[in-house]
Amino acid sequence: MVIELKKIILDLKNGQKNLEFEKLYENSYKEALTREVLKKKEKIHWAGVFHIEDDEIKMEFSVNTRGNFITYLDLDGYLNGEVAEIDDGSSFHLVSKKSNIYEAMCFMEVKKLKVLPEKKLKALEYSLFPKFAQGYIASAIGVDNNVGEFMKLFIPVLSNLELIKKIDISCEWTEIIGGDRDIKERFEKFLKDYVEKELFFLYYDTEYGEMLSKKEFNELFAQGVKYNPNTEIIDLYE
């Protein structure tokens, strides 16, 4: 499945032609720090419609740069932000690559399924949620071997079982409404650099994990056996 950004409406005001384009609001640790130290610049706002379709699903998900549409974890550990709900147990979440919410959601699911022993789980948790981040997901987990190894082992199984599945976004056929040719050409480049490279959707089924067969559960448990995190990080915090 590829999700397409079908339509964009630019909210262009007089004198804004040469301004940068606003990104969707993101509530990550990195963005929170940025908002604290930088004065918000005036930018061009926009609204868009994502088209989601496969053999069983056909739906749309509308977003705009003034709302809260990118999924994040609040400081109590709950998922927040607008979602495209399929049914009571499954939904599509628009996420940002740099927010590391993908890694956090995979951690949450594996923790819920209890396929990692406590010490391994604790080492992974401290790598994702260091105490200095005050409840936010860490902003630089790409260099953390604990998280990298975890994702390498668990992503294929979680995706194959359709518990959590990453879906890329295509902007190839996006219709842009508003602005002249120059603005539209700049926005097309913005779509390629931002929407296609920094954003993607996650399909997340919160209930299927409770109905896994013994064979499916053992597939996940086997990855937990293979996972060998550096547990020295536990000593830093405890």
Side-chain angles (χ1 to χ4, degrees):
M1 175 189 289
V2 174
I3 296 177
E4 296 181 319
L5 180 54
K6 280 291 190 180
K7 182 186 291 185
I8 288 287
I9 300 175
L10 297 177
D11 185 8
L12 197 63
K13 310 297 184 184
N14 290 334
Q16 288 189 327
K17 179 177 179 179
N18 296 316
L19 296 181
E20 296 177 7
F21 299 105
E22 184 64 271
K23 294 183 177 182
L24 294 172
Y25 180 81
E26 179 186 328
N27 195 8
S28 68
Y29 181 59
K30 185 180 293 185
E31 289 297 307
L33 291 177
T34 300
R35 286 194 293 271
E36 286 180 7
V37 299
L38 295 178
K39 184 177 180 181
K40 191 168 180 65
K41 295 166 57 178
E42 182 183 8
K43 295 182 180 181
I44 299 173
H45 285 270
W46 51 274
V49 178
F50 291 97
H51 183 74
I52 304 170
E53 183 175 359
D54 66 5
D55 294 338
E56 300 179 355
I57 299 169
K58 186 175 183 180
M59 59 194 303
E60 291 185 339
F61 182 59
S62 299
V63 301
N64 64 70
T65 51
R66 290 187 168 88
N68 195 2
F69 297 93
I70 293 184
T71 295
Y72 66 97
L73 281 182
D74 63 25
L75 298 185
D76 293 319
Y78 294 100
L79 290 175
N80 219 318
E82 298 291 334
V83 299
E85 293 188 356
I86 303 169
D87 52 40
D88 289 340
S90 58
S91 55
F92 290 103
H93 296 254
L94 179 61
V95 302
S96 165
K97 180 178 180 181
K98 64 182 179 181
S99 73
N100 302 318
I101 189 70
Y102 186 13
E103 290 82 353
M105 289 172 69
C106 289
F107 163 78
M108 291 166 60
E109 188 64 21
V110 167
K111 181 179 180 180
K112 183 174 72 174
L113 294 172
K114 299 180 180 179
V115 294
L116 279 179
E118 185 64 27
K119 192 168 186 179
K120 291 183 179 182
L121 191 68
K122 185 65 69 174
L124 176 60
E125 181 176 2
Y126 283 148
S127 293
L128 278 167
F129 303 97
K131 290 193 174 181
F132 67 79
Q134 299 177 348
Y136 284 101
I137 306 168
S139 60
I141 63 174
V143 297
D144 191 296
N145 291 332
N146 283 354
V147 179
E149 183 189 357
F150 168 77
M151 295 298 284
K152 183 178 179 180
L153 287 169
F154 280 93
I155 280 178
V157 183
L158 290 171
S159 179
N160 186 55
L161 295 176
E162 296 196 344
L163 293 172
I164 301 178
K165 193 169 187 176
K166 179 183 176 184
I167 305 163
D168 292 324
I169 297 170
S170 171
C171 298
E172 185 174 357
W173 305 108
T174 304
E175 176 188 7
I176 302 173
I177 300 173
D180 58 22
R181 180 176 178 180
D182 176 63
I183 292 176
K184 289 180 178 178
E185 286 179 353
R186 286 201 302 116
F187 195 79
E188 286 174 356
K189 184 177 186 305
F190 172 81
L191 290 177
K192 293 290 183 182
D193 292 340
Y194 170 57
V195 177
E196 288 192 345
K197 292 181 180 179
E198 295 187 27
L199 303 179
F200 55 91
F201 276 86
L202 287 178
Y203 169 81
Y204 186 30
D205 191 323
T206 60
E207 296 185 354
Y208 184 68
E210 300 172 2
M211 300 179 287
L212 292 178
S213 67
K214 185 175 181 180
K215 179 178 180 294
E216 291 171 330
F217 178 85
N218 285 341
E219 286 184 62
L220 287 165
F221 188 82
Q223 305 312 306
V225 173
K226 295 176 186 176
Y227 182 49
N228 186 32
N230 180 356
T231 57
E232 291 181 2
I233 190 172
I234 297 175
D235 297 330
L236 296 176
Y237 293 119
E238 295 184 351

